[in-house]
Amino acid sequence: MIDPAAVVLHVADVRRRIEAAGGDDRVRLVAVTKGFGPEAVAAAVAAGVADVGESYAQEAVAKWPAVAEPRPRLHFIGHLQSNKVRALAPFVDLWQSIDRPSVGDEVARRRPGAHVLVQVNVSDEPQKGGCEPSRTGALVAHLRAAGLVVDGLMCIGLAGGPQAARPGFRLLRSLADDLSLAERSMGMTDDLEAAVQEGATMVRVGTALFGPRPGRAQGAH
Ligand SMILES: *Cc1c(COP(=O)(O)O)cnc(C)c1O
């Protein structure tokens, strides 16, 4: 159940956390609404949030047309399969999880000139999405050649809290700097302070805004 008044308070709490970690109002808050219905998107918008993240293609495609205008910017942040790109293409404003050439090619085909982030597997976890850090530059070059606009990099921190995640955030920062990429999407409910301290320009926060997710979207994806 979404309580819009509580979401307003939670957004203020998260902004305070960002500020306490040294971030200012240029750090963009992406409200992650996976697992909740369009009422969570509406509550985020009513609380002043302009950016919303979704992780599951089918869920996002079903939900988005039910979101009232004016809609926030939609960030696709979950594992992306090429065969889901077509259905998502009309709705997605920033593709955050591009981690291989084939899926980038499909986005370029369905949404020429789209803005993307390259997801990097900064914690060397085989089950996690993201390109290998050493391949980031080549993937960025490939996506640009396909006509996409690469705004920056994204990662999911190693689970286990801020100290576990911090080295990965630091690595993402240095890769983005090496490639002169401005955006660094990193940090979630449990590790956003470490991410902001290490230079996040965008944090993706679900649980701290909406509470625990019902059903299958419980775990971080
Ligand atoms: C679910 C998810 C989040 C939000 O996680 P919380 O811990 O609920 O804040 C952020 N990023 C990605 C990629 C996710 O899948």
Side-chain angles (χ1 to χ4, degrees), residues 178-200:
D178 289 348
L179 296 163
S180 300
L181 293 168
E183 297 286 357
R184 301 172 292 267
S185 173
M186 54 194 198
M188 320 195 323
T189 292
D190 288 338
D191 56 20
L192 74 88
E193 282 87 356
V196 168
Q197 286 160 1
E198 299 300 337

Side-chain angles (χ1 to χ4, degrees), residues 1-38:
M1 276 299 288
I2 296 294
D3 172 359
V7 172
V8 171
L9 298 177
H10 295 158
V11 166
D13 282 341
V14 168
R15 298 240 190 248
R16 269 193 292 275
R17 286 176 61 186
I18 291 169
E19 205 172 304
D24 61 21
D25 52 14
R26 285 173 300 183
V27 176
R28 202 182 312 172
L29 173 59
V30 178
V32 178
T33 48
K34 70 177 177 215
F36 294 101

Side-chain angles (χ1 to χ4, degrees), residues 72-220:
R73 282 162 47 85
L74 176 58
H75 299 240
F76 192 78
I77 62 175
H79 177 69
L80 184 56
Q81 290 166 283
S82 291
N83 64 2
K84 298 287 164 47
V85 168
R86 184 182 180 184
L88 282 167
F91 308 116
V92 173
D93 295 292
L94 182 62
W95 305 80
Q96 289 212 10
S97 49
I98 304 300
D99 63 358
R100 56 201 190 281
S102 58
V103 81
D105 290 344
E106 186 62 12
V107 170
R109 198 152 84 92
R110 303 291 179 186
R111 277 287 294 273
H115 287 248
V116 304
L117 304 183
V118 167
Q119 182 178 352
V120 185
N121 187 345
V122 292
S123 46
D124 200 20
E125 295 167 276
Q127 79 282 12
K128 213 174 245 181
C131 75
E132 269 179 44
S134 65
R135 300 215 171 119
T136 309
L139 180 53
V140 168
H142 178 96
L143 299 173
R144 284 183 175 149
L148 298 170
V149 180
V150 182
D151 288 342
L153 306 180
M154 177 273 224
C155 72
I156 298 172
L158 184 63
Q163 295 324 319
R166 188 182 295 274
F169 295 153
R170 202 166 282 174
L171 173 59
L172 195 84
R173 170 71 196 254
S174 83
L175 289 168
D177 286 351
D178 289 348
L179 296 163
S180 300
L181 293 168
E183 297 286 357
R184 301 172 292 267
S185 173
M186 54 194 198
M188 320 195 323
T189 292
D190 288 338
D191 56 20
L192 74 88
E193 282 87 356
V196 168
Q197 286 160 1
E198 299 300 337
T201 59
M202 243 184 254
V203 294
R204 310 176 307 267
V205 179
T207 309
L209 299 180
F210 305 112
R213 284 177 281 277
R216 78 158 194 156
Q218 194 75 38

